[in-house]
Amino acid sequence: MKHILFVASESLPFVKTGGLADVVGSLPQALSSNYRVSVFLPLYSSVIPKLKDAKAVVSFQISTPCIHQPATILKQTHDGIDYYFLQHQGYFERDGYYGYPDDGERFAFFNLACATFIEKVNLSVDIIHSHDWHAGMMPLLSRVVFKHHPNHKNIKHVFTIHNLAYQGQFPLSVAKDCLGLSDHIINDGSIRFDDGVNFLKSAIVYAHKITTVSPSYAQEILGVAFGERLHEVLRLRQYDLYGILNGIDTTFWNPSEDPFIPYHFDSETLDNKIKNKLALQKKLGLKSSENTLLLGVVSRLTWQKGIHLILDQMADIMGLDVQLVVLGSGEAHLEHGFRHMVEKYYGRLAYVAGYNEPLAHEIYAGCDLLLMPSLFEPCGLSQMIAMRYGTLPLVREVGGLKDSVLPYNSSDQSGTGFSFKDFSISDLYHVLRMAVYLYYHYPSEFEQVQRNAMNEDFSWALSSVQYAKVYDSL
Ligand code: ADP
Ligand code: GLC
């Protein structure tokens, strides 16, 4: 069996801020019948209480011009997968995960420590599969800096772009002093960007194969509009670039067994879904009404997600016979916007800030529609989870949203949700009105679309086969 080492900054069940953690948490399981998969992660403070019987595997020193620090690797097996955690109190045992002034140094250390770990411990790694910028230096380190070491010599590299908007762009000193790279590497054009060092660009240049998380996003990032200024670099690698749609963990996200929701249901027992709506309305102080259409948002509140379209259109949205529940934190002006609106639409609008796993499940279970009008969306998991819970996604036709939501077609009642094309308030509102109309005037058709959505297969079954093809091509 080939041994694949995932390198990432987050993974369920240990640490999650977004969909990256869902993917790194569930793809290894899907691959595990054909590959041995292990995962390498930082040991954040929040992870420590979750480790049960983790054992130290090895300790070593990382020495570059600006880093002289010890590293210890702990191992914990969970559900048959080996997880390796990089322990360093100063770099990772903090309140948060990202956004610190020394992120360049922290993740330079993370990449160096992973490469050194592979050198020190013979794990017989065949493929390193790195995810997002945090692990973006792995291909370069392994293929250039550590290339003479026998444990690195034959390793092949797959890199997955979950979000091109976050690139790990740092001053050149991170390359020279933290990573200890030679002037030759720094100046050959492969990692420099805007006179700094760019972790994501480095991965695009040095990985053997690059994947991203939906076929549409794989196309979109080759152009100026979505390429985040790396489209030219990506075009050079377009024949090694694959768009593979994410799956979700259909055991964890299962309305007929979900321990977080009060009433279980499936596509044949949608009446129980309504009970979840009533429970959610009660919990959040919304007016109790099983017949009122309940809209939901479960999201990081960032410009990427098109949240301001909802806020800007609030008067018209709330002019319809609907209630709205929003869960998420992020940009201050968006949080403030929802807080302000709650006062205005008391009893019809609920806003809960923060990251709240149980409430997210209750929202997916209790709502009728999920709004996801993203400006761009590499894949998106919320819309897939919503469909699994019979909550119809209303999405913009972009990236993975386009690839996973089939728009409702009134002529044959096909479709699994609703979609609009242009990133505009009026387009969002137009399709929302159509969905609301269907809900109130053609309830049996709305239910048919709910059943269509619930009967879709969003498991990893198909996509893990595509990853296997990429691995086996190396
Ligand atoms: P992204 O990774 O860009 O944030 P995705 O749709 O791929 O978007 O994944 C988001 C994941 O995070 C989903 O599992 C969603 O349920 C979860 N999520 C987002 N916001 C919250 C929140 N405030 N509380 C709990 N879960 C959340
Ligand atoms: C990123 C993207 C999201 C994707 C997730 C998992 O966070 O924003 O669209 O679903 O990664 O791949």
Side-chain angles (χ1 to χ4, degrees):
M1 255 190 193
K2 278 190 179 148
H3 184 188
I4 324 278
L5 180 68
F6 276 38
V7 186
S9 63
E10 47 185 278
S11 169
L12 282 175
F14 302 103
V15 46
K16 166 168 167 176
T17 69
L20 170 65
D22 293 77
V23 174
V24 178
S26 54
L27 179 55
Q29 279 296 345
L31 293 165
S32 63
S33 44
N34 295 315
Y35 303 91
R36 172 182 167 205
V37 187
S38 311
V39 184
F40 188 91
L41 297 165
L43 185 65
Y44 302 108
S45 311
S46 64
V47 175
I48 297 170
K50 296 183 184 159
L51 298 190
K52 293 207 175 62
D53 49 5
K55 304 237 167 9
V57 181
V58 63
S59 292
F60 46 81
Q61 185 77 13
I62 297 292
S63 290
T64 63
C66 91
I67 297 178
H68 298 278
Q69 296 292 336
T72 297
I73 310 298
L74 305 180
K75 178 181 171 185
Q76 155 102 58
T77 304
H78 176 84
D79 278 353
I81 306 287
D82 290 337
Y83 290 85
Y84 295 98
F85 293 94
L86 168 61
Q87 182 179 44
H88 185 286
Q89 204 177 10
Y91 286 135
F92 301 117
E93 293 178 27
R94 302 181 181 186
D95 290 341
Y97 306 107
Y98 322 115
Y100 295 101
D102 62 347
D103 276 358
E105 180 177 333
R106 295 169 71 219
F107 285 95
F109 178 78
F110 176 66
N111 286 261
L112 280 168
C114 183
T116 309
F117 168 57
I118 291 164
E119 182 192 79
K120 302 270 180 217
V121 179
N122 191 5
L123 292 176
S124 305
V125 174
D126 297 293
I127 293 171
I128 294 182
H129 185 163
S130 321
H131 298 261
D132 269 356
W133 75 263
H134 320 94
M137 284 294 165
M138 288 309 298
L140 162 66
L141 289 178
S142 177
R143 294 186 70 186
V144 180
V145 181
F146 289 73
K147 72 174 174 190
H148 296 300
H149 194 279
N151 287 356
H152 275 280
K153 215 169 57 193
N154 298 317
I155 294 180
K156 304 285 187 218
H157 290 268
V158 176
F159 180 78
T160 295
I161 300 168
H162 292 265
N163 197 333
L164 192 66
Y166 303 98
Q167 301 184 356
Q169 170 80 21
F170 301 107
L172 273 187
S173 58
V174 169
K176 198 174 171 58
D177 303 327
C178 301
L179 287 161
L181 297 176
S182 68
D183 285 345
H184 172 70
I185 297 172
I186 293 172
N187 294 326
D188 72 3
S190 59
I191 65 171
R192 272 178 91 140
F193 194 65
D194 283 350
D195 209 27
V197 54
N198 187 303
F199 279 41
L200 201 80
K201 177 182 170 186
S202 171
I204 295 167
V205 172
Y206 283 101
H208 293 94
K209 298 285 178 192
I210 304 150
T211 72
T212 188
V213 288
S214 69
S216 288
Y217 194 59
Q219 285 304 310
E220 289 166 357
I221 57 179
L222 297 177
V224 183
F226 295 92
E228 304 286 349
R229 299 173 61 233
L230 284 180
H231 56 286
E232 302 280 7
V233 184
L234 280 158
R235 275 198 215 154
L236 293 172
R237 299 297 319 274
Q238 67 175 301
Y239 299 106
D240 290 314
L241 172 66
Y242 304 83
I244 303 176
L245 194 70
N246 286 331
I248 56 171
D249 179 342
T250 46
T251 310
F252 183 67
W253 297 108
N254 181 358
S256 53
E257 287 178 359
D258 189 333
F260 292 118
I261 64 174
Y263 302 97
H264 292 148
F265 61 98
D266 58 28
S267 61
E268 300 308 317
T269 54
L270 281 168
D271 282 355
N272 278 345
K273 180 170 169 64
I274 295 172
K275 294 185 194 161
N276 286 298
K277 181 198 281 193
L278 289 168
L280 184 63
Q281 287 169 327
K282 192 166 172 206
K283 183 172 196 167
L284 299 177
L286 297 173
K287 190 165 167 287
S288 173
S289 166
E290 65 176 62
N291 292 324
T292 302
L293 188 149
L294 182 54
L295 300 167
V297 172
V298 178
S299 183
R300 292 183 293 117
L301 300 187
T302 68
W303 52 280
Q304 171 193 343
K305 303 290 177 179
I307 300 295
H308 60 277
L309 288 191
I310 299 171
L311 275 170
D312 292 351
Q313 189 78 12
M314 194 62 91
D316 287 332
I317 294 176
M318 297 313 278
L320 301 168
D321 187 7
V322 298
Q323 297 179 344
L324 170 63
V325 45
V326 178
L327 168 64
S329 285
E331 290 164 23
H333 67 110
L334 298 174
E335 291 189 10
H336 175 78
F338 284 117
R339 282 204 184 94
H340 174 70
M341 294 287 177
V342 167
E343 289 164 27
K344 205 163 163 188
Y345 300 105
Y346 187 76
R348 295 182 60 213
L349 170 62
Y351 170 54
V352 181
Y355 180 86
N356 188 328
E357 189 71 52
L359 185 59
H361 289 242
E362 291 166 81
I363 293 174
Y364 289 125
C367 287
D368 302 294
L369 290 178
L370 182 94
L371 300 180
M372 218 168 153
S374 302
L375 178 60
F376 67 94
E377 196 61 72
C379 178
L381 301 173
S382 297
Q383 82 282 8
M384 295 189 203
I385 301 168
M387 285 186 269
R388 185 136 168 87
Y389 285 71
T391 296
L392 299 181
L394 191 160
V395 303
R396 177 157 176 251
E397 288 163 27
V398 71
L401 298 176
K402 189 163 137 190
D403 296 340
S404 58
V405 179
L406 195 68
Y408 167 66
N409 181 343
S410 58
S411 64
D412 59 1
Q413 273 124 66
S414 63
T416 58
F418 305 91
S419 64
F420 63 100
K421 212 175 171 68
D422 289 336
F423 189 68
S424 81
I425 291 175
S426 56
D427 282 23
L428 164 64
Y429 183 59
H430 176 76
V431 71
L432 176 61
R433 271 183 51 184
M434 191 182 93
V436 171
Y437 186 80
L438 191 74
Y439 175 85
Y440 284 114
H441 296 280
Y442 295 92
S444 58
E445 294 196 9
F446 192 91
E447 260 187 38
Q448 181 55 48
V449 188
Q450 287 179 299
R451 275 193 291 274
N452 297 346
M454 294 182 82
N455 293 332
E456 284 282 294
D457 180 3
F458 293 111
S459 74
W460 277 105
L462 293 175
S463 300
S464 62
V465 172
Q466 289 177 264
Y467 275 107
K469 279 191 185 145
V470 174
Y471 297 148
D472 295 344
S473 72
L474 290 168

